[in-house]
């Protein structure tokens, strides 16, 4: 007897077919031996981590695999069947899985443009939701997710695994107890080499992929696919992804906010950067990359008495062009992805997801923290307890951290055509208040670009506007153009509702 037959599949209703669920499904009582049934939505690389986590937890079983690309989905079902003992049902349309009342959990690793709508639909259908970062692609979508979780009383965990890291928990506790003195500033780093993704062009959709379902909320572009590699490289196209500021960034923006005790949006944001260096990499001055998100972007966030600077670099990062950072990360080569907290008596550095180092003012190591995480396990704990406070990364935290990435990108996008000389940029940044040495950060960024062969006279940096933001109303107060980026246009069948309509 198949698992589908044992559990009793409920046919997709007309309402669910439109992504509308008439009433929330109330979770059935569970016996001690009854497992939570999971629908894994998204069968790519990150989806594999979801599959491994649920297969490795005795409290869960995978009932569905959902993917618009049947080849990827069926391959994942093959692997699950070997380990689980029965084959999950494969469907291309997530609404079919959501309409099955046997499903308790939706766990999504789709492209970013699907995250929020998948979460809203799942919670409307009575499922708890685990959503990869960034939890949303716009500020408006994030607020809708929070409202849905509260309205339907659902557990909604965001995939910012650092929240469950024992090393980071212990390090932040040490810092909050005065371990490095008073701390009002953090620097997040995503120094992560990303090669060019190929020339902008007109490419075919994989035969095994339903492009309409893959696109979902995203409107069609003309041509439809402009990147050579269909899967993954959508990250570097703003119609679907958020660049590394919104891909890797939410992990580090989350740690920075957490460590500083910030539980709100910033009051002001400004960014500068560009998609730079690929002409030099390709040795072709006429090369136009298919990506359109910045691979180099520095964003400054003002929270009043506290501030955060986030630096994203996508070119070779074998030297940070900064002796202090090299010492703090104890490395002069390879990627640097983490957070530096600057205290009156020293530094605390998140080096990896499971490793932090504390230093005194002279950069002498004083304490080290190591330890792993089980973020999916924490989510399942909360699904069992039905207590939202058990979640290490509730959707509100994910919204605030993803929001930092979105706000930083918005400043860049609004000012994308405002090209500026290095001297003018240093002059402008010197005027921005905060706790960082803004001019030194510009100089370090410029040296990094020059070291990678970027001619900043021919390919200058762009400076975005200084945007003032109302954290309560979640709107910009000095830029109608920026407010247009707080929401997006949807296809009619895939509209993510606003928070007052979930």
């Amino acid at each position: 007897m198949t698992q589908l037959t044992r559990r009793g599949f409920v046919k997709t209703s007309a309402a669910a077919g439109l992504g509308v669920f008439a009433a929330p499904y109330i979770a059935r009582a569970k016996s001690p031996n009854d497992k939570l049934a999971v629908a894994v939505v998204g069968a790519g690389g990150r989806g594999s981590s979801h599959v491994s986590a649920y297969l490795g937890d005795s409290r869960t079983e995978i009932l569905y695999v959902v993917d618009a690309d049947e080849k990827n989905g069926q391959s994942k079902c093959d692997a699950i069947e070997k380990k689980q003992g029965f084959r999950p049902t494969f469907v291309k349309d997530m609404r079919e899985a959501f309409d099955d009342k046997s499903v308790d959990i939706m766990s999504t690793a789709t492209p970013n443009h699907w995250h929020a709508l998948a979460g809203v639909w799942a919670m409307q259908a009575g499922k708890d939701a685990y959503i990869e970062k960034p939890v949303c692609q716009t500020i408006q979508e994030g607020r809708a997710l929070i409202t849905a979780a509260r309205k339907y009383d659902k557990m909604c965990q965001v995939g910012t695994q650092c929240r469950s890291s024992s090393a980071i928990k212990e390090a932040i506790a040490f810092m909050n107890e005065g371990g490095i003195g008073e701390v009002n500033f953090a620097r997040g780093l995503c120094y992560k080499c990303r090669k060019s993704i190929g020339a902008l062009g007109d490419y075919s959709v994989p035969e095994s992929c339903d492009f309409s379902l893959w696109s979902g909320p995203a409107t069609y572009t003309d041509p439809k696919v402009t990147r050579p590699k269909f899967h993954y490289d959508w990250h570097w196209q703003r119609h679907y992804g958020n660049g590394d500021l919104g891909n890797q960034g939410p992990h580090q923006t989350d740690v920075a906010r957490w460590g500083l005790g910030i539980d709100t949006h910033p009051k002001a944001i400004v960014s500068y950067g560009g998609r730079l260096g690929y002409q030099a990499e390709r040795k072709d001055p006429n090369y136009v990359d298919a990506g359109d998100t910045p691979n180099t972007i520095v964003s400054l966030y003002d929270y009043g008495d506290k501030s955060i600077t986030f630096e994203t670099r996508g070119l070779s990062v074998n030297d940070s062009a900064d002796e202090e950072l090299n010492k703090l990360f104890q490395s002069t080569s390879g990627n640097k992805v983490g957070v530096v907290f600057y205290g009156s008596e020293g530094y605390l550095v998140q080096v990896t997801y499971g490793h932090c180092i504390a230093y005194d003012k002279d950069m002498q190591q004083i304490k080290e923290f190591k330890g792993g995480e089980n973020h999916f396990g924490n989510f399942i704990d909360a699904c069992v307890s039905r207590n939202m406070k058990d979640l290490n990364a509730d959707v509100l935290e994910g919204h605030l951290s993803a929001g930092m990435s979105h706000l930083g990108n918005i400043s860049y996008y609004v000012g994308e055509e405002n090209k500026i000389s290095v001297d003018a940029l240093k002059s402008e940044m010197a005027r921005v208040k905060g706790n960082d040495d803004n001019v030194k950060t510009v100089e370090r960024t410029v040296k990094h670009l020059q070291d990678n062969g970027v001619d900043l006279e021919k390919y200058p940096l762009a400076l975005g506007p200084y945007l003032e933001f109302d954290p309560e109303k979640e709107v910009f107060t000095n830029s109608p153009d920026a407010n247009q980026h707080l929401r997006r246009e949807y296809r009619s069948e895939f509209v993510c509702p606003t928070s007052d309509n979930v």
Side-chain angles (χ1 to χ4, degrees):
M1 184 177 292
T2 67
Q3 181 70 5
L4 180 59
T5 303
R6 286 192 290 110
R7 285 191 169 272
F9 176 69
V10 180
K11 294 289 187 179
T12 307
S13 67
L18 294 175
V20 178
F21 301 90
Y25 168 66
I26 305 302
R28 55 192 168 86
K30 294 278 183 184
S31 70
N33 297 320
D34 203 1
K35 295 187 177 186
L36 295 166
V38 182
V40 175
V41 182
R46 186 61 193 154
S48 296
S49 298
H50 288 230
V51 166
S52 295
Y54 296 115
L55 290 178
D57 195 304
S58 62
R59 297 170 293 177
T60 55
E61 60 188 11
I62 300 173
L63 198 60
Y64 285 87
V65 170
V66 183
D67 200 289
D69 190 323
E70 184 164 3
K71 182 179 178 181
N72 285 355
Q74 293 288 10
S75 175
K76 203 69 67 185
C77 287
D78 291 341
I80 294 169
E81 184 176 17
K82 291 178 182 177
K83 294 185 178 181
Q84 185 168 256
F86 67 86
R87 188 179 186 83
T89 299
F90 169 75
V91 295
K92 287 188 175 183
D93 191 329
M94 66 184 74
R95 290 169 290 191
E96 294 182 42
F98 296 167
D99 200 44
D100 185 347
K101 289 184 170 61
S102 297
V103 174
D104 303 291
I105 290 170
M106 185 280 299
S107 192
T108 186
T110 58
N112 297 0
H113 66 281
W114 255 115
H115 285 180
L117 184 57
V120 169
W121 277 357
M123 288 186 283
Q124 286 177 328
K127 323 303 179 190
D128 294 316
Y130 184 105
I131 306 174
E132 276 300 338
K133 51 74 210 163
V135 72
C136 54
Q137 202 179 25
T138 67
I139 298 290
Q140 189 178 80
E141 288 180 350
R143 184 54 57 183
L145 281 167
I146 295 166
T147 303
R150 307 302 185 249
K151 178 177 180 179
Y152 300 110
D153 193 24
K154 293 300 160 191
M155 303 301 109
C156 187
Q157 175 106 305
V158 181
T160 45
Q161 304 98 300
C162 292
R163 286 277 175 165
S164 294
S165 165
S166 60
I168 300 175
K169 286 182 180 180
E170 292 169 10
I172 288 178
F174 168 78
M175 182 172 66
N176 289 341
E177 291 165 1
I180 60 169
E182 184 179 0
V183 186
N184 295 313
F185 174 61
R187 184 188 311 281
L189 302 181
C190 176
Y191 290 3
K192 196 170 188 177
C193 187
R194 302 285 191 181
K195 296 292 186 180
S196 55
I197 66 171
L200 183 68
D202 186 351
Y203 302 94
S204 60
V205 178
E207 291 183 3
S208 57
C209 185
D210 184 324
F211 186 69
S212 178
L213 286 175
W214 186 92
S215 298
T219 56
Y220 285 164
T221 59
D222 185 19
K224 289 181 178 178
V225 182
T226 60
R227 61 193 181 278
K229 183 181 176 183
F230 184 78
H231 292 301
Y232 195 78
D233 280 352
W234 51 263
H235 275 296
W236 324 122
Q237 295 188 320
R238 66 187 72 172
H239 200 60
Y240 312 108
N242 307 89
D244 247 342
L245 176 56
N247 174 44
Q248 179 64 53
H251 289 294
Q252 278 63 57
T253 56
D254 194 59
V255 171
R257 259 195 335 100
W258 178 19
L260 292 177
I262 295 170
D263 60 0
T264 183
H265 292 296
K267 300 193 305 179
I269 312 96
V270 63
S271 295
Y272 58 88
R275 191 166 185 85
L276 302 165
Y278 293 139
Q279 291 82 8
E281 178 194 286
R282 293 270 176 152
K283 297 180 174 58
D284 181 359
N286 299 314
Y287 174 74
V288 178
D289 194 66
D292 63 0
T293 58
N295 68 341
T296 301
I297 180 170
V298 177
S299 300
L300 284 63
Y301 303 93
D302 178 11
Y303 293 91
D305 60 336
K306 297 179 181 179
S307 61
I308 297 171
T309 295
F310 197 92
E311 302 179 38
T312 302
R313 297 182 182 179
L315 302 177
S316 174
V317 289
N318 275 335
D319 190 331
S320 303
D322 186 278
E323 184 179 350
E324 181 179 85
L325 288 176
N326 287 336
K327 285 183 177 179
L328 292 173
F329 279 83
Q330 300 181 3
S331 174
T332 58
S333 64
N335 296 341
K336 286 186 177 67
V337 177
V339 178
V340 180
F341 294 96
Y342 297 78
S344 59
E345 301 302 322
Y347 308 81
L348 177 68
V349 184
Q350 181 224 340
V351 181
T352 68
Y353 291 10
H355 184 201
C356 299
I357 305 172
Y359 299 89
D360 64 18
K361 292 175 70 173
D362 297 321
M363 284 195 236
Q364 297 300 308
Q365 183 173 318
I366 56 174
K367 202 168 181 63
E368 193 169 20
F369 308 86
K370 291 185 177 181
E373 51 83 12
N374 184 1
H375 202 50
F376 285 99
N378 170 252
F379 170 59
I380 297 167
D381 289 343
C383 292
V384 173
S385 72
R386 309 309 308 161
N387 186 351
M388 182 190 74
K389 292 181 180 180
D390 289 342
L391 292 170
N392 286 340
D394 172 63
V395 60
L396 175 58
E397 301 292 355
H399 171 57
L400 292 174
S401 297
M404 288 182 66
S405 298
H406 299 328
L407 295 173
N409 274 331
I410 289 171
S411 176
Y412 170 77
Y413 291 147
V414 174
E416 192 170 13
E417 299 306 316
N418 181 32
K419 308 300 184 183
I420 190 168
S421 70
V422 172
D423 286 342
L425 178 59
K426 288 196 287 187
S427 178
E428 290 294 327
M429 288 300 98
R431 297 168 52 197
V432 177
K433 66 179 182 179
N435 300 305
D436 190 16
D437 184 336
N438 296 330
V439 173
K440 183 179 179 181
T441 298
V442 171
E443 291 172 344
R444 188 172 62 248
T445 303
V446 166
K447 186 175 188 309
H448 158 73
L449 292 170
Q450 291 173 339
D451 287 346
N452 279 278
V454 179
D455 182 346
L456 287 170
E457 291 189 2
K458 187 174 182 180
Y459 305 104
L461 288 156
L463 173 63
Y466 184 84
L467 298 174
E468 297 172 354
F469 194 69
D470 185 326
E472 296 298 322
K473 296 180 179 179
E474 296 187 325
V475 295
F476 295 101
T477 59
N478 67 336
S479 176
D481 289 342
N483 280 325
Q484 296 304 308
H485 292 268
L486 296 173
R487 62 192 68 87
R488 71 171 299 161
E489 181 183 354
Y490 300 102
R491 295 168 64 217
S492 60
E493 189 182 352
F494 303 95
V495 176
C496 185
T498 52
S499 61
D500 56 339
N501 288 311
V502 296

